[in-house]
Coordinates of all heavy atoms in Angstrom, one line a residue:
M1 N -63.2 -9.3 42.1 CA -62.0 -8.7 41.7 C -61.1 -8.4 42.9 O -61.6 -7.8 43.9 CB -62.3 -7.6 40.9 CG -61.0 -6.8 40.3 SD -61.4 -5.4 39.2 CE -62.0 -6.1 37.8
R2 N -59.8 -8.7 42.7 CA -58.9 -8.4 43.7 C -58.1 -7.1 43.4 O -57.5 -7.0 42.3 CB -57.9 -9.5 43.9 CG -56.9 -9.4 45.1 CD -56.1 -10.6 45.3 NE -55.4 -10.7 46.5 CZ -56.1 -10.9 47.7 NH1 -57.3 -11.0 47.8 NH2 -55.3 -10.9 48.9
L3 N -58.0 -6.2 44.2 CA -57.3 -4.9 43.9 C -56.0 -4.9 45.0 O -56.0 -5.6 45.9 CB -58.2 -3.7 44.3 CG -59.4 -3.6 43.6 CD1 -60.4 -2.4 44.1 CD2 -59.3 -3.5 42.1
T4 N -55.0 -4.1 44.6 CA -53.9 -4.0 45.4 C -53.8 -2.5 45.7 O -53.7 -1.7 44.8 CB -52.6 -4.5 44.7 OG1 -52.8 -5.9 44.3 CG2 -51.4 -4.4 45.6
L5 N -53.4 -2.3 47.1 CA -53.2 -0.9 47.5 C -51.7 -0.9 48.0 O -51.4 -1.5 49.0 CB -54.1 -0.5 48.7 CG -54.0 0.7 49.3 CD1 -54.2 2.0 48.2 CD2 -54.8 1.0 50.5
Y6 N -51.0 -0.1 47.2 CA -49.4 0.1 47.6 C -49.5 1.4 48.5 O -49.9 2.4 48.1 CB -48.7 0.2 46.3 CG -48.5 -0.9 45.5 CD1 -49.4 -1.1 44.4 CD2 -47.6 -2.0 45.8 CE1 -49.3 -2.2 43.6 CE2 -47.5 -3.1 45.1 CZ -48.4 -3.3 43.9 OH -48.3 -4.4 43.3
G7 N -48.8 1.1 49.6 CA -48.7 2.3 50.5 C -47.6 2.1 51.6 O -46.8 1.3 51.4
R8 N -47.8 2.9 52.7 CA -46.8 2.8 53.8 C -47.6 2.7 55.1 O -48.8 3.2 55.2 CB -46.0 4.0 53.8 CG -45.1 4.2 52.8 CD -44.1 5.3 52.9 NE -42.9 5.1 52.1 CZ -42.9 5.5 50.8 NH1 -43.8 6.2 50.2 NH2 -41.8 5.3 50.1
T9 N -47.0 2.1 56.1 CA -47.7 1.9 57.4 C -47.9 3.2 58.1 O -48.8 3.5 58.8 CB -47.0 1.0 58.3 OG1 -45.6 1.5 58.5 CG2 -46.9 -0.3 57.8
Y10 N -47.1 4.3 57.9 CA -47.2 5.5 58.7 C -47.8 6.7 57.7 O -47.6 7.8 58.0 CB -45.8 6.1 59.0 CG -44.8 6.1 57.9 CD1 -44.6 7.3 57.1 CD2 -44.0 5.1 57.6 CE1 -43.7 7.4 56.1 CE2 -43.0 5.1 56.6 CZ -42.9 6.2 55.8 OH -42.2 6.4 54.8
C11 N -48.5 6.4 56.7 CA -49.0 7.2 55.7 C -50.6 7.4 56.0 O -51.3 6.5 55.9 CB -48.8 6.7 54.2 SG -49.8 7.5 53.0
H12 N -51.0 8.7 56.3 CA -52.4 8.9 56.7 C -53.2 8.9 55.3 O -54.3 8.5 55.4 CB -52.5 10.3 57.3 CG -52.4 11.5 56.5 ND1 -51.1 12.0 56.1 CD2 -53.3 12.2 55.9 CE1 -51.4 13.0 55.4 NE2 -52.6 13.3 55.2
L13 N -52.7 9.2 54.2 CA -53.5 9.1 53.0 C -53.7 7.6 52.7 O -54.8 7.4 52.1 CB -52.7 9.8 51.8 CG -52.6 11.3 51.8 CD1 -51.8 11.8 50.6 CD2 -54.0 12.0 51.9
C14 N -52.7 6.8 53.0 CA -52.9 5.3 52.7 C -54.0 4.7 53.7 O -54.8 4.0 53.1 CB -51.6 4.6 52.9 SG -50.2 5.1 51.9
E15 N -54.0 5.2 54.9 CA -55.0 4.8 55.8 C -56.4 5.3 55.4 O -57.3 4.5 55.4 CB -54.6 5.3 57.3 CG -53.5 4.7 57.9 CD -53.0 5.3 59.0 OE1 -53.8 6.2 59.6 OE2 -51.9 5.0 59.5
D16 N -56.5 6.4 54.9 CA -57.8 7.1 54.5 C -58.3 6.2 53.3 O -59.5 5.9 53.3 CB -57.7 8.5 54.0 CG -57.4 9.4 55.3 OD1 -57.5 8.9 56.5 OD2 -57.0 10.6 55.0
M17 N -57.4 5.9 52.3 CA -57.9 5.2 51.2 C -58.3 3.8 51.5 O -59.3 3.4 51.0 CB -56.8 5.2 50.0 CG -57.4 4.6 48.7 SD -56.3 4.4 47.4 CE -56.0 6.1 46.9
L18 N -57.6 3.1 52.4 CA -57.9 1.8 52.8 C -59.3 1.7 53.6 O -60.1 0.9 53.3 CB -56.9 1.1 53.8 CG -57.1 -0.2 54.2 CD1 -57.3 -1.2 53.1 CD2 -56.1 -0.7 55.1
Q19 N -59.5 2.7 54.4 CA -60.9 2.8 55.1 C -62.0 3.0 54.0 O -63.0 2.4 54.2 CB -60.8 3.9 56.1 CG -60.0 3.6 57.4 CD -59.9 4.8 58.3 OE1 -60.4 5.9 58.1 NE2 -59.4 4.5 59.5
A20 N -61.8 3.9 53.0 CA -62.7 4.2 52.1 C -63.0 2.9 51.2 O -64.2 2.6 51.0 CB -62.3 5.3 51.2
L21 N -62.0 2.2 50.9 CA -62.1 1.0 50.2 C -62.8 -0.1 51.0 O -63.9 -0.8 50.5 CB -60.8 0.3 49.8 CG -60.0 1.2 48.6 CD1 -58.6 0.8 48.6 CD2 -60.9 1.0 47.4
E22 N -62.5 -0.3 52.3 CA -63.1 -1.3 53.1 C -64.6 -1.0 53.2 O -65.5 -2.0 53.3 CB -62.5 -1.3 54.5 CG -61.1 -2.0 54.4 CD -60.3 -1.8 55.8 OE1 -60.7 -1.1 56.6 OE2 -59.3 -2.6 55.9
S23 N -65.0 0.4 53.3 CA -66.4 0.7 53.4 C -67.3 0.3 52.1 O -68.4 0.2 52.1 CB -66.6 2.1 53.8 OG -66.4 3.0 52.7
L24 N -66.5 0.1 51.0 CA -67.2 -0.2 49.7 C -67.1 -1.6 49.3 O -67.7 -2.0 48.3 CB -66.5 0.7 48.7 CG -66.7 2.2 48.8 CD1 -65.7 2.8 47.8 CD2 -68.2 2.6 48.5
Q25 N -66.4 -2.4 50.0 CA -66.0 -3.8 49.5 C -67.4 -4.6 49.3 O -67.6 -5.3 48.3 CB -65.2 -4.6 50.6 CG -63.8 -4.2 50.4 CD -63.0 -4.9 51.3 OE1 -62.9 -4.7 52.4 NE2 -62.1 -5.9 50.7
D26 N -68.3 -4.6 50.3 CA -69.5 -5.4 50.2 C -70.4 -4.9 49.1 O -70.9 -5.7 48.3 CB -70.4 -5.3 51.5 CG -69.7 -6.1 52.6 OD1 -68.8 -7.0 52.4 OD2 -70.0 -5.8 53.8
E27 N -70.6 -3.6 48.9 CA -71.4 -3.0 47.9 C -70.9 -3.3 46.5 O -71.6 -3.7 45.6 CB -71.5 -1.5 48.1 CG -72.2 -0.8 46.9 CD -72.2 0.7 47.1 OE1 -71.7 1.2 48.2 OE2 -72.5 1.4 46.1
L28 N -69.6 -3.1 46.3 CA -69.0 -3.2 45.0 C -68.3 -4.6 44.7 O -67.8 -4.7 43.6 CB -68.0 -2.1 44.8 CG -68.6 -0.6 44.8 CD1 -67.4 0.3 44.7 CD2 -69.6 -0.5 43.8
Q29 N -68.3 -5.5 45.7 CA -67.8 -6.8 45.5 C -66.4 -6.9 45.0 O -66.0 -7.4 43.8 CB -68.7 -7.5 44.5 CG -70.2 -7.8 45.0 CD -70.1 -8.6 46.3 OE1 -69.8 -9.8 46.4 NE2 -70.7 -8.0 47.4
F30 N -65.4 -6.5 45.8 CA -64.0 -6.6 45.5 C -63.3 -7.0 46.9 O -63.8 -6.8 47.9 CB -63.4 -5.4 44.9 CG -63.4 -4.1 45.7 CD1 -62.3 -3.9 46.6 CD2 -64.5 -3.3 45.7 CE1 -62.4 -2.8 47.4 CE2 -64.5 -2.1 46.5 CZ -63.5 -1.9 47.4
S31 N -62.1 -7.4 46.7 CA -61.3 -7.6 47.8 C -60.1 -6.7 47.6 O -59.7 -6.3 46.5 CB -60.8 -9.1 48.0 OG -60.0 -9.5 46.9
V32 N -59.2 -6.4 48.7 CA -58.1 -5.5 48.7 C -57.1 -6.0 49.5 O -57.2 -6.5 50.6 CB -58.4 -4.0 49.0 CG1 -59.0 -3.9 50.5 CG2 -57.4 -3.1 48.7
E33 N -55.8 -6.2 48.8 CA -54.6 -6.6 49.4 C -53.7 -5.3 49.5 O -53.6 -4.5 48.7 CB -53.9 -7.5 48.6 CG -52.5 -7.9 49.0 CD -51.7 -8.7 48.0 OE1 -52.2 -8.8 46.9 OE2 -50.6 -9.3 48.4
T34 N -53.2 -5.1 50.9 CA -52.3 -4.0 51.0 C -50.8 -4.5 50.9 O -50.5 -5.6 51.4 CB -52.5 -3.4 52.4 OG1 -52.3 -4.3 53.5 CG2 -54.0 -2.8 52.4
V35 N -50.0 -3.6 50.3 CA -48.6 -4.0 50.2 C -47.8 -2.8 50.7 O -48.0 -1.6 50.2 CB -48.2 -4.3 48.8 CG1 -46.8 -4.4 48.5 CG2 -48.9 -5.5 48.2
D36 N -46.9 -3.0 51.7 CA -46.0 -2.0 52.2 C -44.8 -1.8 51.3 O -44.0 -2.7 51.1 CB -45.6 -2.3 53.6 CG -44.8 -1.3 54.2 OD1 -44.4 -0.3 53.6 OD2 -44.4 -1.5 55.4
V37 N -44.7 -0.6 50.5 CA -43.7 -0.5 49.6 C -42.4 -0.3 50.2 O -41.3 -0.6 49.6 CB -43.9 0.9 48.7 CG1 -45.3 0.7 47.9 CG2 -44.0 2.0 49.5
D38 N -42.4 0.0 51.5 CA -41.0 0.1 52.2 C -40.4 -1.2 52.5 O -39.2 -1.4 52.7 CB -41.2 0.9 53.4 CG -41.5 2.3 53.2 OD1 -40.9 2.9 52.2 OD2 -42.2 3.0 54.0
A39 N -41.1 -2.4 52.3 CA -40.7 -3.7 52.6 C -40.0 -4.2 51.3 O -39.3 -5.3 51.5 CB -41.9 -4.6 52.9
D40 N -40.0 -3.5 50.2 CA -39.4 -4.0 49.0 C -38.8 -2.9 48.3 O -39.4 -2.0 47.9 CB -40.5 -4.6 48.1 CG -39.9 -5.2 46.7 OD1 -38.9 -4.7 46.3 OD2 -40.6 -6.1 46.2
P41 N -37.3 -3.0 48.1 CA -36.7 -1.7 47.5 C -37.1 -1.5 46.1 O -37.2 -0.2 45.7 CB -35.1 -2.2 47.5 CG -35.1 -3.2 48.6 CD -36.5 -3.9 48.6
A42 N -37.6 -2.4 45.4 CA -38.0 -2.2 44.0 C -39.4 -1.4 44.0 O -39.5 -0.5 43.2 CB -38.2 -3.5 43.2
L43 N -40.3 -1.7 45.0 CA -41.6 -1.1 45.0 C -41.3 0.4 45.6 O -41.9 1.3 45.1 CB -42.5 -1.8 46.0 CG -43.0 -3.1 45.3 CD1 -43.9 -3.9 46.5 CD2 -43.8 -2.9 44.1
E44 N -40.4 0.5 46.6 CA -40.1 1.8 47.2 C -39.6 2.7 46.0 O -39.9 3.8 46.0 CB -39.2 1.7 48.3 CG -39.2 2.8 49.2 CD -38.5 4.1 48.7 OE1 -37.5 4.0 48.0 OE2 -39.1 5.3 49.0
S45 N -38.8 2.2 45.2 CA -38.1 2.9 44.1 C -39.2 3.2 43.1 O -39.2 4.4 42.6 CB -37.0 2.2 43.4 OG -36.5 2.9 42.4
R46 N -40.2 2.4 42.8 CA -41.2 2.6 41.8 C -42.2 3.7 42.3 O -42.6 4.6 41.5 CB -41.8 1.3 41.4 CG -43.0 1.5 40.5 CD -43.6 0.1 40.1 NE -44.6 0.4 39.1 CZ -45.4 -0.6 38.6 NH1 -45.1 -1.9 39.0 NH2 -46.3 -0.4 37.8
Y47 N -42.6 3.5 43.5 CA -43.7 4.4 44.0 C -43.3 5.6 44.8 O -44.0 6.6 44.8 CB -44.7 3.5 44.8 CG -45.5 2.5 43.9 CD1 -45.3 1.2 44.0 CD2 -46.3 2.9 42.9 CE1 -45.9 0.2 43.2 CE2 -47.0 2.0 42.1 CZ -46.8 0.7 42.3 OH -47.4 -0.3 41.5
G48 N -42.2 5.5 45.5 CA -41.6 6.7 46.2 C -42.7 7.3 47.0 O -43.4 6.8 47.9
E49 N -42.9 8.6 46.8 CA -43.8 9.4 47.4 C -45.2 9.5 46.8 O -46.0 10.3 47.1 CB -43.3 10.8 47.7 CG -42.0 10.9 48.5 CD -42.1 10.4 49.9 OE1 -43.1 10.7 50.6 OE2 -41.3 9.6 50.3
F50 N -45.4 8.6 45.8 CA -46.5 8.6 45.0 C -47.7 7.8 45.7 O -48.8 7.7 45.2 CB -46.3 7.8 43.7 CG -47.1 8.2 42.4 CD1 -47.3 9.5 42.2 CD2 -47.7 7.2 41.8 CE1 -48.1 9.8 41.1 CE2 -48.5 7.5 40.7 CZ -48.7 8.8 40.3
V51 N -47.6 7.2 46.9 CA -48.5 6.4 47.6 C -49.6 7.3 48.3 O -49.4 8.3 48.6 CB -47.8 5.4 48.6 CG1 -46.9 4.5 47.9 CG2 -47.1 6.2 49.6
P52 N -50.7 6.6 48.4 CA -51.1 5.3 48.1 C -51.4 5.2 46.6 O -51.9 6.2 46.0 CB -52.4 5.2 48.9 CG -52.9 6.5 49.1 CD -51.8 7.4 49.2
V53 N -51.3 4.1 46.0 CA -51.6 3.7 44.7 C -52.5 2.5 44.7 O -52.1 1.5 45.2 CB -50.3 3.5 43.8 CG1 -50.6 3.1 42.4 CG2 -49.3 4.7 43.9
L54 N -53.7 2.6 44.0 CA -54.5 1.5 43.9 C -54.5 1.1 42.5 O -54.6 1.7 41.5 CB -56.0 2.0 44.2 CG -57.1 0.9 44.2 CD1 -56.9 -0.1 45.3 CD2 -58.4 1.6 44.3
V55 N -54.2 -0.3 42.4 CA -54.1 -1.0 41.1 C -55.2 -2.1 40.9 O -55.5 -2.8 41.9 CB -52.6 -1.4 40.7 CG1 -51.8 -0.3 40.7 CG2 -52.2 -2.4 41.6
G56 N -55.5 -2.3 39.7 CA -56.3 -3.6 39.5 C -55.5 -4.8 39.3 O -54.3 -4.7 39.3
P57 N -56.2 -5.9 39.0 CA -55.4 -7.2 39.0 C -54.5 -7.3 37.8 O -53.5 -8.1 37.9 CB -56.5 -8.3 38.9 CG -57.7 -7.6 38.4 CD -57.6 -6.1 38.9
E58 N -54.7 -6.6 36.8 CA -53.8 -6.6 35.7 C -52.6 -5.6 35.9 O -51.8 -5.5 35.0 CB -54.6 -6.2 34.4 CG -54.9 -4.7 34.3 CD -56.1 -4.3 35.3 OE1 -56.8 -5.0 35.9 OE2 -56.2 -3.1 35.4
G59 N -52.5 -4.9 37.0 CA -51.4 -3.9 37.4 C -51.6 -2.6 36.9 O -50.8 -1.8 37.0
R60 N -52.8 -2.3 36.2 CA -53.1 -0.9 35.9 C -53.5 0.0 37.0 O -54.5 -0.4 37.8 CB -54.2 -0.9 34.6 CG -53.4 -0.8 33.3 CD -54.5 -0.6 32.2 NE -55.6 0.3 32.4 CZ -56.8 0.1 32.0 NH1 -57.2 -1.0 31.4 NH2 -57.7 0.9 32.3
E61 N -52.9 1.2 37.1 CA -53.4 2.0 38.2 C -54.8 2.5 38.0 O -55.3 2.8 36.9 CB -52.4 3.4 38.1 CG -52.8 4.3 39.3 CD -52.0 5.5 39.2 OE1 -50.7 5.4 39.1 OE2 -52.5 6.6 39.4
I62 N -55.5 2.5 39.1 CA -56.8 3.0 39.1 C -56.8 4.5 39.6 O -57.4 5.3 39.1 CB -57.7 2.2 40.1 CG1 -57.9 0.8 39.5 CG2 -59.2 2.8 40.3 CD1 -58.6 -0.3 40.4
C63 N -56.0 4.7 40.7 CA -55.9 6.0 41.3 C -54.8 6.0 42.2 O -54.2 5.1 42.6 CB -57.2 6.5 41.8 SG -57.7 5.4 43.3
H64 N -54.4 7.3 42.6 CA -53.3 7.5 43.6 C -53.7 8.7 44.5 O -54.5 9.6 44.1 CB -51.9 7.6 42.9 CG -51.8 8.8 42.1 ND1 -52.1 8.8 40.8 CD2 -51.3 10.0 42.4 CE1 -51.8 10.0 40.2 NE2 -51.4 10.8 41.2
Y65 N -53.0 8.8 45.7 CA -53.3 9.8 46.7 C -54.7 9.7 47.3 O -54.8 9.5 48.4 CB -53.0 11.1 46.2 CG -51.6 11.5 45.7 CD1 -51.3 12.1 44.5 CD2 -50.4 11.0 46.4 CE1 -50.0 12.4 44.1 CE2 -49.1 11.4 46.1 CZ -49.0 12.0 44.9 OH -47.7 12.3 44.5
F66 N -55.7 9.8 46.5 CA -57.0 9.8 46.9 C -57.9 8.8 46.2 O -57.6 8.6 45.0 CB -57.7 11.2 47.0 CG -56.8 12.2 47.7 CD1 -56.0 13.0 47.1 CD2 -57.0 12.3 49.1 CE1 -55.4 14.0 47.7 CE2 -56.3 13.3 49.8 CZ -55.4 14.2 49.1
L67 N -58.9 8.2 46.8 CA -59.7 7.3 46.1 C -60.6 8.0 45.1 O -61.3 9.0 45.4 CB -60.7 6.6 47.1 CG -61.6 5.6 46.5 CD1 -60.9 4.4 45.8 CD2 -62.5 5.0 47.5
D68 N -60.5 7.5 43.8 CA -61.3 8.1 42.8 C -62.5 7.0 42.5 O -62.3 6.1 41.9 CB -60.5 8.2 41.5 CG -61.3 8.8 40.3 OD1 -62.5 8.7 40.3 OD2 -60.7 9.3 39.4
L69 N -63.6 7.4 43.2 CA -64.7 6.5 43.1 C -65.2 6.1 41.7 O -65.5 5.1 41.3 CB -65.9 6.9 44.0 CG -67.0 6.1 44.2 CD1 -66.6 4.7 44.8 CD2 -68.0 6.7 45.0
T70 N -65.3 7.1 40.9 CA -65.7 6.9 39.5 C -64.7 6.1 38.8 O -65.1 5.1 38.0 CB -65.7 8.2 38.7 OG1 -66.7 9.1 39.4 CG2 -66.2 8.1 37.4
A71 N -63.4 6.2 38.9 CA -62.4 5.4 38.2 C -62.5 3.9 38.8 O -62.4 2.9 38.1 CB -61.0 5.8 38.5
L72 N -62.8 3.8 40.1 CA -63.0 2.5 40.7 C -64.2 1.7 40.1 O -64.1 0.6 39.8 CB -63.0 2.6 42.3 CG -63.3 1.3 43.0 CD1 -62.2 0.3 42.8 CD2 -63.5 1.6 44.5
K73 N -65.3 2.4 40.1 CA -66.5 1.8 39.5 C -66.4 1.4 38.1 O -66.8 0.4 37.6 CB -67.7 2.8 39.7 CG -68.1 2.8 41.2 CD -69.4 3.7 41.4 CE -69.9 3.7 42.8 NZ -71.1 4.4 43.0
D74 N -65.7 2.3 37.3 CA -65.4 2.0 35.9 C -64.6 0.8 35.8 O -64.9 -0.1 34.9 CB -64.7 3.2 35.3 CG -65.6 4.4 35.0 OD1 -66.9 4.2 35.1 OD2 -65.1 5.5 34.6
R75 N -63.6 0.6 36.6 CA -62.7 -0.5 36.5 C -63.4 -1.8 37.0 O -63.3 -2.9 36.3 CB -61.5 -0.4 37.5 CG -60.4 -1.5 37.3 CD -59.8 -1.6 36.0 NE -59.2 -0.3 35.5 CZ -58.0 0.1 35.7 NH1 -57.2 -0.7 36.5 NH2 -57.6 1.2 35.3
L76 N -64.2 -1.7 38.0 CA -65.0 -2.9 38.4 C -66.0 -3.3 37.5 O -66.4 -4.5 37.3 CB -65.6 -2.6 39.8 CG -64.6 -2.4 40.9 CD1 -65.3 -2.0 42.2 CD2 -63.7 -3.7 41.2
A77 N -66.5 -2.4 36.7 CA -67.6 -2.7 35.7 C -66.9 -3.5 34.5 O -67.7 -4.1 33.7 CB -68.2 -1.4 35.1
V78 N -65.6 -3.4 34.4 CA -64.9 -4.0 33.2 C -64.4 -5.4 33.7 O -63.2 -5.6 33.7 CB -63.8 -3.2 32.7 CG1 -63.1 -3.8 31.5 CG2 -64.3 -1.8 32.3
R79 N -65.3 -6.3 34.0 CA -64.9 -7.6 34.6 C -64.7 -8.6 33.5 O -65.5 -8.8 32.7 CB -65.9 -8.1 35.6 CG -65.8 -7.3 36.9 CD -66.6 -7.8 38.1 NE -66.6 -6.9 39.0 CZ -66.9 -7.2 40.3 NH1 -67.1 -8.4 40.6 NH2 -66.8 -6.4 41.2

């Protein structure tokens, strides 16, 4: 499953969530794409200060600010 992490390059919460996700990729079998919201005015407007936001392939939010491991595992179980 491919997940998308919306964030910013200068955001420590975004870095923390990405590191946590990277440590779980092999175990939980997913890939993660990072998207800088500041590179797209529509994304910046949509997410603003709400980053990081982790979404599934269907665009539904899994969690924001901090990694919710339970929500991630639940979403990955619904393949």
Side-chain angles (χ1 to χ4, degrees):
M1 180 180 285
R2 184 172 198 72
L3 306 176
T4 304
L5 178 63
Y6 292 98
R8 292 190 158 87
T9 56
Y10 57 87
C11 168
H12 74 281
L13 292 178
C14 302
E15 292 170 11
D16 292 347
M17 188 180 291
L18 181 58
Q19 287 178 350
L21 289 166
E22 287 173 342
S23 72
L24 295 167
Q25 280 182 293
D26 289 338
E27 174 189 347
L28 299 178
Q29 298 297 299
F30 65 88
S31 62
V32 62
E33 172 189 12
T34 58
V35 176
D36 183 356
V37 299
D38 292 326
D40 182 333
L43 291 175
E44 202 285 325
S45 176
R46 177 176 181 181
Y47 293 112
E49 298 300 316
F50 204 54
V51 295
V53 178
L54 181 64
V55 299
E58 72 290 343
R60 261 185 43 220
E61 181 182 318
I62 297 171
C63 57
H64 63 274
Y65 296 137
F66 303 99
L67 181 61
D68 182 336
L69 186 55
T70 301
L72 175 61
K73 287 181 176 181
D74 287 349
R75 183 64 54 85
L76 293 173
V78 182
R79 289 187 186 203

